[in-house]
Amino acid sequence: MPFNVDQPVSIGVQLAPQHAEYSTIRDTVLRLEDLGVDIVFNWDHFYPLSGDRDGLHFEGWTMLGAWAEQTERIQFGPLVTCNSYRNPDLLADMARTVDHVSAKGGEGRLVFGIGSGWARRDYREYGYEFGSVGSRLDDLAEAMPRIRRRWELLNPAPTRHIPVLIGGGGERKTLRIVAEHADVWHSFSDADELQHKLDVLEGWCERVGRDTSQITISVEPERTQTSAEYEEFRALGARLFTTQISAPDYDWDRVRRLLAWRDAVNG
């Protein structure tokens, strides 16, 4: 397997920023850190994605600044931020700042997840041009060099190379952007489809001159999957496994199962 497999399995939890007061979300982040989760993600939307679509909801990047300050060990980031919602140079500056806030005397802990956007209601209600799938991906391709360039220009510079996570599986545009810019590719594929997507990604890496060993494969198993099914993904090279929890009923048993499996396979 040519992708980055020389690392232990990590567990991410996407904590949906919906249907809860912020005090509950804050306490849940601390509990996830205490349990030993490796990465906590939120998302970059303006309305709930499940349940009451007009229910409680909070903005993602403001929240990440708070997580940077309140946590000590855990990595964190958006899964994923929408490229359309902010000027790329501003977004780079925001990420650099949040990363510094999280450093606590060492390196920062932000994982910079980014994608092209898809939630039509967010665009409509907040006044962004929705465009098309293709135009939004073209915008993302144009934004990534600007983001990296801004990181080079900022004073102070980021605390370290901020890892870039890109999500999605489009074979013509998305995986090319992943090959060019991502440290982590977040796949929504099942195990049967993942091998094909990896072959496509490897092809793009060859075209752009990227060493595939620099890219970590991230997956999001379904809630019903067993340890044997997690092993299918691991055998294909996945090393980051993420699950989502949401108020009002956080599924702590699912988090604990993933953590137990991680500890077993990592030895």
Side-chain angles (χ1 to χ4, degrees):
M1 172 57 62
F3 292 92
N4 185 4
V5 296
D6 295 330
Q7 60 178 325
V9 166
S10 296
I11 300 302
V13 173
Q14 185 181 45
L15 175 57
Q18 60 182 14
H19 304 314
E21 297 291 349
Y22 185 72
S23 58
T24 299
I25 295 172
R26 180 183 60 234
D27 293 346
T28 303
V29 172
L30 291 176
R31 184 173 178 183
L32 290 168
E33 184 169 51
D34 289 344
L35 283 173
V37 168
D38 298 292
I39 305 175
V40 177
F41 295 106
N42 62 6
W43 64 43
D44 190 21
H45 294 288
F46 306 130
Y47 298 94
L49 297 183
S50 62
D52 179 1
R53 298 306 172 95
D54 292 311
L56 298 175
H57 195 276
F58 291 96
E59 193 278 325
W61 272 98
T62 313
M63 183 180 295
L64 292 175
W67 290 5
E69 189 63 62
Q70 79 170 85
T71 60
E72 299 293 333
R73 174 196 61 81
I74 207 163
Q75 295 185 78
F76 61 94
L79 187 63
V80 290
T81 198
C82 177
N83 174 66
S84 304
Y85 299 160
R86 301 163 192 88
N87 172 285
D89 292 87
L90 170 62
L91 184 57
D93 200 346
M94 291 165 57
R96 182 279 313 249
T97 300
V98 169
D99 200 54
H100 270 268
V101 173
S102 71
K104 309 289 181 70
E107 290 189 340
R109 294 174 284 120
L110 177 72
V111 176
F112 182 73
I114 189 167
S116 60
W118 61 269
R120 186 183 293 270
R121 183 184 182 188
D122 288 351
Y123 284 81
R124 182 183 68 246
E125 295 283 354
Y126 278 62
Y128 297 109
E129 182 180 350
F130 190 60
S132 65
V133 173
S135 69
R136 294 194 300 275
L137 283 167
D138 290 342
D139 289 344
L140 177 60
E142 292 177 4
M144 287 309 306
R146 287 180 59 182
I147 290 168
R148 292 195 178 280
R149 177 61 175 159
R150 182 55 53 186
W151 282 338
E152 293 174 357
L153 295 173
L154 288 168
N155 183 16
T159 66
R160 89 289 199 220
H161 171 84
I162 297 176
V164 173
L165 178 154
I166 295 176
E171 296 178 12
R172 190 169 66 88
K173 291 187 176 184
T174 303
L175 293 183
R176 173 178 57 82
I177 299 170
V178 170
E180 291 175 334
H181 297 290
D183 301 287
V184 182
W185 172 49
H186 186 77
S187 167
F188 299 96
S189 303
D190 59 27
D192 291 337
E193 185 184 30
L194 182 59
Q195 182 61 70
H196 168 70
K197 296 290 186 180
L198 290 173
D199 291 342
V200 174
L201 178 56
E202 186 173 4
W204 276 116
C205 286
E206 291 176 359
R207 293 190 206 183
V208 304
R210 182 81 184 281
D211 183 347
T212 55
S213 68
Q214 297 174 344
I215 301 175
T216 297
I217 306 304
S218 170
V219 294
E220 194 167 331
E222 295 293 333
R223 299 181 181 185
T224 57
Q225 285 182 325
T226 65
S227 296
E229 290 169 314
Y230 299 152
E231 287 292 344
E232 288 187 68
F233 285 105
R234 192 167 78 100
L236 289 169
R239 289 298 179 269
L240 173 58
F241 291 73
T242 297
T243 192
Q244 183 191 116
I245 61 174
S246 178
D249 298 312
Y250 295 122
D251 191 344
W252 295 107
D253 287 342
R254 180 154 41 95
V255 174
R256 291 190 183 94
R257 287 196 301 271
L258 270 172
L259 291 173
W261 173 75
R262 176 202 65 186
D263 293 343
V265 297
N266 287 344

